[in-house]
Amino acid sequence: MTYCVGLRLDRGLVFMSDTRTNAGVDNFSKTRKMFSWGVPGERLITLMTAGNLATTQALVSLIEERVKAVGDRDPSILRAPSMFQVARMVGATLKEVIADSAPVGQKSDAAFQATVIVGGQIQGSAPTMFMVYPEGNFIEVTSETPFFQIGEAKYGRPILVRAYDANMRFEDAVKLLLVSFDSTVRSNLSVGLPFDLMIYENDAFEPLLERRIEQEDAVYQSISTGWGDALRAAFEHLPTFDL
């Protein structure tokens, strides 16, 4: 399985993904699920994937091929005039990969499904983010839905819903994501470290920070331990139910 989150803040965008893949209860490996393409001073586009590994790898390979030879292989996300058009291209490519991979009669919601978060900024418009579904359609972040999760979303969602604030600093957003990811890792073996992190600040057209967070990372370990202790302390201070 997978866990990826994209947050839209007033200051920019924050992306985080895990790297675990599995082919059984005792067969785990690591693979990158976050990818970025850009033109300095003009655009930066980041994509995160969840779902069938063969499907997501084929999707990224097709996008990469069209990016590397933009003069010969349109459409390319590096030539799209807007992030909306980028989302359309990614959706069409995902739908194409699923259709090519599936046997006759296979549906997009079956074995070859994948879901994608794509976000970034193109000069002349504001940063934004989309969730792209296996059918190729997509939705955009809004003030009511300011973050997207794909993969194993349920364990890490409660902290995001309760603590997210569009005005928060990047540092606090990363802390929030680490708590969300730690909750997910502790609840589901198919999600695991290391985590890939990318922070994008409005109008920069290049990453503010790209980093891989390993199991032994001191900040992650402190947050993981501190969050567990804080939950236990909060539980102890709640009113007791009288029988």
Side-chain angles (χ1 to χ4, degrees), residues 11 23-24 42 51 65 67 107 168 173 186 189 192 197 203 236:
R11 289 187 59 191
E42 195 266 331
E65 182 182 54
V67 163
K107 302 297 184 183
M168 69 196 320
R186 288 175 177 269
L189 287 174
L197 167 69
D203 302 320
E236 293 297 329

Side-chain angles (χ1 to χ4, degrees), residues 124-172:
S125 59
T128 191
M129 191 179 301
F130 298 85
M131 180 165 9
V132 183
Y133 296 101
E135 296 80 8
N137 55 344
F138 52 87
I139 58 174
E140 186 174 7
V141 289
T142 65
S143 56
E144 290 79 20
T145 308
F147 60 84
F148 289 138
Q149 301 168 276
I150 55 176
E152 193 57 74
K154 57 184 176 291
Y155 303 107
R157 184 173 180 81
I159 182 64
L160 297 179
V161 171
R162 286 179 177 271
Y164 168 86
D165 185 338
N167 294 309
M168 69 196 320
R169 303 180 307 152
F170 284 135
E171 294 87 346
D172 292 329

Side-chain angles (χ1 to χ4, degrees), residues 171-227:
E171 294 87 346
D172 292 329
V174 174
K175 178 168 63 175
L176 175 62
L177 287 176
L178 286 175
V179 172
S180 178
F181 272 70
D182 183 64
S183 299
T184 305
V185 167
R186 288 175 177 269
S187 302
N188 193 306
L189 287 174
S190 67
V191 177
L193 286 99
F195 306 142
D196 286 326
L197 167 69
M198 202 274 275
I199 300 174
Y200 175 76
E201 190 167 21
N202 295 344
D203 302 320
F205 305 108
E206 62 182 25
L208 177 66
L209 175 70
E210 288 182 287
R211 181 178 171 186
R212 175 159 283 193
I213 300 170
E214 302 284 354
Q215 176 72 46
E216 62 273 14
D217 184 271
V219 174
Y220 169 71
Q221 289 297 332
S222 178
I223 287 175
S224 178
T225 301
W227 179 243

